[in-house]
Amino acid sequence: MTDNAQQQPSAPHTELPTQYAPADVEGPLYERWVERGYFEADAKSDKPAYTVVIPPPNVTGSLHLGHAFEHTLIDALTRRKRMQGFETLWQPGMDHAGIATQNVVERELGKEGKSRHDLGREAFVERVWQWKGESGGQISGQMRRLGDGVAWSRERFTMDEGLSQAVQTIFKRLYDDELIYRAERIINWCPRCLTAISDIEVEYQDDDGELVSMTYGEGDDTIVVATTRAETMLGDTAVAVHPDDERYKHLVGKEIRLPLTDRFIPVVADTHVDPEFGTGAVKVTPAHDPNDFEIGQRHDLPSLTVMDEHAVITAHGPFQGLDRLEARSAIVAALRAEGRIVAEKRPYVHSVGHCSRCKTTIEPRLSMQWWVKVGPLAKAAGDAVRDGRVKIHPQEMEKRYFDWVDNLHDWCISRQLWWGHRIPVWYGPNGEVVCVGPDDEVPTGEGWHQDTDVLDTWFSSGLWPFSTLGWPEQTESLAKFYPNSVLVTGYDILFFWVARMMMFGLYAMDGTPPFHTIALHGMVRDQFGKKMSKSFGNAVNPLDWMDKYGSDALRFTLARGANPGVDVPIGEDWVQGSRNFANKIWNATRFALMNGATVDGPLPEPSAMSATDRWILSRLNSVVAEVDALYEDFQFAKLSDALFHFAWDEVFDWYVELSKTTFQAGGPAAEVSKRVLGEVLDVTLKLLHPVVPFVTETLWTTLTGGESIVVADWPSDSGFRDAAAEREIESLQAVVTEVRRFRADQGLQPGQRVPARLELDGTPFAAHEAAIRQLLRLQPEGEAFSATATLPVAGATVALDLSGTIDVAAERKRLAKDLAAAEKEKAQATAKLGNEAFLAKAPDNVVDKIRGRLSKADEDITRIQAQLGRLPEA
């Protein structure tokens, strides 16, 4: 803990409003923080650095619950480190989102009856920049609403001039090192977006299709093949069988007739073919299937492209001009007419790739593209985790990481778009190819032209940890803030983004990885664990909840569900509960201020404190140590839960209540408790601040008169523990809890006063009689006192006179009825669980349910018998 007398000036307390109104507090507070520069980071500082980059949201996006969740976690980490004295940089920025942004602007043009081709490339790009200035980036304002403590002066965009220079630099270096090359290969093509997309941008789902089996060849040379894409047969250049398949050895090397065409194609033997699957023969379409392309390479087969970029058939003949799905039906009909259809299966459910942006079915397509040779880069990315330079948290996620980086295929980085980083390669009139770096002169003269493609968005975002700091220039910021301390991101982009940053960071920064730790979190789901989606009708706009309950309430709910690497369910009633917690903090602090709680001067010596004071300070230090350990392990749910229960249960429900009698009595003991209460609130508000920044700022500055909790010192464990005081208060709590339970069982109202005799002699809490009586609404015993119920607990005896409060006979009758019902339930459950025939047939979940009923019946019987035992005879 800290010495507040030295930490901040004392100031007269201003009175808090009776209720907390987040809408009146949050906006002005955030702007004050920004104006005072609390979130900025100084590269010249001699403080140790703590750096986190924001996973750059798309410029087309708006704040969704996933963003709010991730930003809450990062903000909590950086706020704590700032309070701990680190030069803290939370780097903000946005991604240009090539495909998504181009789609948005093209839709806008479509409303005007135009296409990008009507504008031309240069004018279209200008139009995108105009859209970005007017409509893009609304997420920045929403981040302010959430309380994100980012260094706004350092905000970056992946198409900024500096970041564009970084992209051009690393492309040139990779090209010169022969790690970037151009080649014709099968790629994933989106006929809607009209561009190649990478493997990780393909979403697979089970679709209803058709499986058609058909004959190729004539007479003894007939062979049966099956396909789900009959339209591709127009591009077949072989049939493949396994070399050891005796059924087809007589055909290997022969040419057979390809139906519906005038071509003959060879039968080739290839070990890729599984002789046990289907007929053991497969059609080979090298230009439209990745596996077929490999077969074609091994057997020197021609590659015939039979579809254009819109997935329209280009092969000569009656099917030319048909869309791929139209052609599929027409070709099957034509084959059926020739008697070549052997079998048709509809629906045939199979996994089909879809564009992650527009959901269009992907078409594998042979295309000339630019590629990154990932082998050496991926090995370095794997080694950095294996040798401990980078830690993945939780550790069990390492397997997913290694499964990916150890099996990476070369990365197709070119996209047939206009919006993005244009590939810095020029072609000359005589076949020259020149890659141009940022300091190189662009070739000029007749016949020279630049490559028309742009780079995959993930290429530029893969440079994010160092390009945002000024690389390739050796800036002060780069020296100070690279590598990042931690990367906080969802496990869903472990492959999209994290692996890219690892490969590029290690390559560009001489083997220094981009971050020390990768902290992976799960996805936000609804309260039933279902994925949130507009189509499911369960998507939530976080701004709605922030408007209704306050940003702190949303943040605390998200943090309290954040177990590492695990999905997070969230429901509105949970946010409402967090709002209640914020109100509880407000009301308790308001009570404390009204009763003179203070941070002035050092803490009194323990010898001057009551057991209650020593207990809460002992618990406070334990919680400081616990929260610190949980932060270092990224256990946001556990630390939030620990703070919730400490603040609500121990500070507000016990210490504040126990202190009321002390405050009422006045004197030196009250002055000590006022200082202790001030200390406890000071430290508790600091511990809560990273997760709930707004309410804690308001309360802490009012309590202490300090400048801002944002730049206050993070509390430290002073080492003070008092086990005896903890045992004493725990025993007192046991007495109060047990009597409260008994009162509730008897149907007494919480405020109803009951005569009682307390026998506390010999207990460690004998001095707490006044507090116990106040907490339990127990009035002194009178002359007519008659103990109708006696409760022994924690070494004490509490005798109650219930004669004037309950009808004992009626209560006994009610409890006897409840006891009979519980015993009947127990007998029925016991009989079923003792029936071997029933156990042999019943499903496990049914048996478990009956065991639960038996356990509940046992608990009810024990509870009711105890209640009857405490009642006097009627």
Side-chain angles (χ1 to χ4, degrees):
M1 293 181 290
T2 53
D3 184 346
N4 290 287
Q6 298 175 10
Q7 183 185 334
Q8 69 275 314
S10 175
H13 299 312
T14 57
E15 187 175 341
L16 287 169
T18 55
Q19 290 185 325
Y20 176 49
D24 297 337
V25 170
E26 293 175 352
L29 261 189
Y30 187 84
E31 291 310 314
R32 190 182 314 153
W33 290 335
V34 173
E35 288 168 7
R36 293 179 177 178
Y38 291 152
F39 305 139
E40 295 304 322
D42 182 3
K44 299 182 188 303
S45 168
D46 58 2
K47 297 178 182 178
Y50 187 82
T51 316
V52 186
V53 293
I54 195 170
N58 287 353
V59 68
T60 58
S62 60
L63 192 75
H64 56 64
L65 270 180
H67 287 126
F69 172 55
E70 186 168 76
H71 290 199
T72 294
L73 304 187
I74 301 174
D75 197 41
L77 289 174
T78 52
R79 283 179 182 269
R80 172 174 173 262
K81 286 296 182 181
R82 191 176 292 112
M83 294 172 76
Q84 287 183 315
F86 286 78
E87 192 62 36
T88 303
L89 169 60
W90 183 9
Q91 173 66 54
M94 285 181 293
D95 192 282
H96 66 279
I99 296 177
T101 304
Q102 180 157 318
N103 283 346
V104 167
V105 178
E106 286 196 86
R107 282 196 296 270
E108 292 296 315
L109 285 173
K111 294 175 184 177
E112 303 170 14
K114 298 178 182 178
S115 74
R116 60 183 164 119
H117 299 285
D118 293 325
L119 270 67
R121 183 168 194 145
E122 186 174 337
F124 176 77
V125 171
E126 286 182 8
R127 179 69 176 261
V128 180
W129 277 109
Q130 178 186 342
W131 174 88
K132 190 257 183 186
E134 295 173 356
S135 307
Q138 62 175 307
I139 200 168
S140 296
Q142 296 165 343
M143 287 166 60
R144 292 172 182 264
R145 283 287 314 277
L146 190 65
D148 286 3
V150 299
W152 287 112
S153 69
R154 292 173 172 267
E155 187 174 12
R156 296 292 181 266
F157 180 55
T158 50
M159 290 282 286
D160 283 350
E161 182 179 350
L163 273 66
S164 296
Q165 183 182 18
V167 168
Q168 195 173 352
T169 298
I170 201 164
F171 187 99
K172 170 70 171 173
R173 291 187 187 179
L174 289 164
Y175 181 86
D176 290 345
D177 287 343
E178 299 183 349
L179 293 173
I180 281 183
Y181 62 94
R182 193 169 185 242
E184 189 175 43
R185 291 185 178 178
I186 292 286
I187 46 91
N188 303 298
W189 181 264
C190 176
R192 159 62 185 80
C193 298
L194 298 179
T195 183
I197 63 174
S198 65
D199 291 343
I200 53 179
E201 293 171 301
V202 179
E203 294 178 349
Y204 288 89
Q205 66 183 46
D206 288 340
D207 286 356
D208 287 344
E210 61 182 5
L211 181 66
V212 179
S213 299
M214 50 196 174
T215 59
Y216 284 11
E218 310 289 350
D220 293 338
D221 292 345
T222 297
I223 195 168
V224 176
V225 297
T227 183
T228 58
R229 300 164 65 218
E231 67 278 9
T232 64
M233 68 157 291
L234 300 174
D236 286 358
T237 56
V239 170
V241 298
H242 194 276
D244 299 330
D245 195 332
E246 294 293 335
R247 294 172 294 176
Y248 303 118
K249 282 203 169 182
H250 68 290
L251 288 176
V252 174
K254 286 188 175 182
E255 290 196 339
I256 59 175
R257 182 174 176 271
L258 178 66
L260 308 182
T261 72
D262 294 327
R263 292 191 292 113
F264 281 78
I265 59 176
V267 177
V268 299
D270 196 282
T271 54
H272 170 76
V273 180
D274 180 2
E276 302 298 322
F277 183 78
T279 63
V282 297
K283 58 189 287 299
V284 181
T285 321
H288 293 279
D289 183 274
N291 293 321
D292 293 2
F293 177 78
E294 298 297 331
I295 293 174
Q297 293 289 295
R298 288 192 289 272
H299 297 275
D300 199 24
L301 300 174
S303 296
L304 302 181
T305 299
V306 295
M307 273 181 261
D308 67 12
E309 64 270 22
H310 297 279
V312 171
I313 300 299
T314 57
H316 292 296
F319 311 109
Q320 187 175 7
L322 295 180
D323 171 80
R324 56 182 166 171
L325 297 182
E326 296 172 334
R328 184 176 300 172
S329 299
I331 286 171
V332 170
L335 289 168
R336 191 183 297 113
E338 286 192 6
R340 289 187 173 274
I341 299 297
V342 176
E344 297 178 71
K345 186 176 182 180
R346 297 188 185 88
Y348 178 72
V349 179
H350 63 131
S351 182
V352 177
H354 296 260
C355 173
S356 62
R357 297 293 180 187
C358 69
K359 312 308 177 187
T360 301
T361 300
I362 288 300
E363 190 63 44
R365 187 166 186 259
L366 186 63
S367 180
M368 182 68 76
Q369 302 286 344
W370 286 94
W371 304 80
V372 171
K373 183 179 180 182
V374 299
L377 302 174
K379 182 182 183 304
D383 290 346
V385 174
R386 287 190 169 94
D387 63 25
R389 281 176 289 155
V390 178
K391 297 187 183 303
I392 293 179
H393 191 280
Q395 191 173 1
E396 54 265 28
M397 288 286 183
E398 281 186 3
K399 183 180 184 303
R400 296 182 67 172
Y401 177 78
F402 291 135
D403 286 346
W404 180 253
V405 298
D406 292 346
N407 298 285
L408 271 178
H409 299 294
D410 283 2
W411 171 20
C412 177
I413 55 171
S414 44
R415 299 291 180 267
Q416 289 64 56
L417 304 172
W418 287 356
W419 173 245
H421 295 282
R422 194 162 173 182
I423 288 177
V425 172
W426 270 255
Y427 304 105
N430 299 312
E432 301 95 334
V433 178
V434 177
C435 181
V436 176
D439 298 323
D440 299 334
E441 288 189 12
V442 174
T444 57
E446 186 177 348
W448 283 92
H449 64 280
Q450 187 178 359
D451 196 298
T452 57
D453 290 350
V454 300
L455 287 163
D456 178 10
T457 296
W458 297 104
F459 190 95
S460 51
S461 59
L463 315 181
W464 192 248
F466 51 94
S467 63
T468 52
L469 298 173
W471 187 91
E473 300 299 322
Q474 298 305 304
T475 64
E476 288 182 322
S477 290
L478 188 64
K480 178 72 174 180
F481 296 113
Y482 186 92
N484 288 194
S485 305
V486 62
L487 174 74
V488 180
T489 191
Y491 62 68
D492 58 321
I493 57 173
L494 182 62
F495 317 131
F496 285 87
W497 188 43
V498 180
R500 309 300 194 208
M501 288 189 290
M502 286 286 283
M503 290 191 296
F504 283 165
L506 289 159
Y507 174 80
M509 300 300 293
D510 299 320
T512 302
F515 19 74
H516 297 301
T517 302
I518 302 167
L520 298 171
H521 59 72
M523 304 295 101
V524 178
R525 297 182 178 273
D526 71 13
Q527 59 188 346
F528 306 108
K530 190 175 182 180
K531 180 180 178 181
M532 284 192 171
S533 164
K534 289 182 181 178
S535 60
F536 294 156
N538 63 350
V540 173
N541 183 346
L543 294 175
D544 293 341
W545 281 353
M546 287 192 279
D547 289 341
K548 195 170 182 180
Y549 303 110
S551 298
D552 284 334
L554 176 63
R555 288 170 62 116
F556 192 73
T557 304
L558 291 166
R560 204 173 176 193
N563 290 297
V566 179
D567 289 346
V568 182
I570 185 172
E572 184 171 1
D573 54 337
W574 303 344
V575 185
Q576 184 175 355
S578 295
R579 187 271 313 273
N580 295 343
F581 179 50
N583 289 341
K584 184 78 170 180
I585 302 169
W586 183 273
N587 292 333
T589 306
R590 186 168 177 271
F591 165 85
L593 290 170
M594 291 170 61
N595 283 275
T598 180
V599 297
D600 293 342
L603 280 171
E605 291 297 320
S607 59
M609 298 179 188
S610 68
T612 308
D613 294 332
R614 297 195 307 275
W615 160 73
I616 197 63
L617 290 176
S618 181
R619 287 291 306 125
L620 179 65
N621 276 285
S622 295
V623 170
V624 169
E626 180 183 7
V627 168
D628 273 334
L630 291 170
Y631 260 116
E632 295 304 315
D633 199 34
F634 305 101
Q635 296 284 355
F636 296 98
K638 290 182 179 178
L639 71 88
S640 299
D641 208 49
L643 286 170
F644 173 86
H645 287 294
F646 174 71
W648 192 309
D649 300 345
E650 298 186 74
V651 178
F652 306 148
D653 280 357
W654 284 107
Y655 182 70
V656 168
E657 293 299 319
L658 288 169
S659 297
K660 285 180 179 179
T661 54
T662 306
F663 294 151
Q664 290 167 1
E671 296 306 312
V672 170
S673 291
K674 290 175 184 178
R675 178 66 187 88
V676 170
L677 179 54
E679 178 75 7
V680 171
L681 287 174
D682 172 26
V683 173
T684 302
L685 291 171
K686 288 176 180 175
L687 293 174
L688 285 165
H689 172 72
V691 180
V692 285
F694 294 107
V695 68
T696 52
E697 169 81 333
T698 305
L699 296 175
W700 186 86
T701 52
T702 303
L703 172 70
T704 68
E707 177 189 344
S708 171
I709 198 171
V710 176
V711 291
D713 290 340
W714 181 256
S716 58
D717 176 9
S718 70
F720 175 77
R721 302 289 191 279
D722 193 323
E726 290 195 36
R727 287 193 298 270
E728 181 173 333
I729 302 305
E730 285 169 6
S731 297
L732 181 152
Q733 291 171 326
V735 171
V736 173
T737 301
E738 184 61 26
V739 176
R740 279 177 173 167
R741 184 181 296 117
F742 176 76
R743 286 176 58 109
D745 288 342
Q746 307 312 315
L748 297 178
Q749 295 300 312
Q752 189 172 353
R753 294 196 168 275
V754 177
R757 180 172 62 242
L758 304 184
E759 298 175 7
L760 307 179
D761 293 343
T763 66
F765 49 93
H768 299 281
E769 180 169 350
I772 292 173
R773 284 188 178 276
Q774 180 166 313
L775 289 169
L776 292 171
R777 306 295 190 268
L778 302 179
Q779 61 192 41
E781 54 186 299
E783 291 183 5
F785 179 82
S786 174
T788 58
T790 303
L791 304 175
V793 57
T797 300
V798 180
L800 305 174
D801 183 354
L802 305 176
S803 56
T805 57
I806 64 171
D807 183 337
V808 176
E811 185 65 13
R812 277 192 167 277
K813 185 176 181 180
R814 182 186 70 80
L815 289 172
K817 183 178 179 181
D818 290 348
L819 180 61
E823 289 174 337
K824 181 179 179 181
E825 175 74 359
K826 177 179 179 179
Q828 291 175 341
T830 301
K832 283 192 174 183
L833 293 174
N835 185 334
E836 295 295 336
F838 169 77
L839 293 176
K841 296 179 180 179
D844 290 344
N845 65 316
V846 173
V847 175
D848 289 342
K849 188 175 181 180
I850 294 171
R851 288 195 179 111
R853 285 169 49 194
L854 177 59
S855 177
K856 174 70 165 49
D858 279 332
E859 291 174 3
D860 289 344
I861 290 169
T862 301
R863 176 179 53 81
I864 296 168
Q865 287 175 338
Q867 290 175 241
L868 283 167
R870 292 169 182 153
L871 286 174
E873 294 299 326

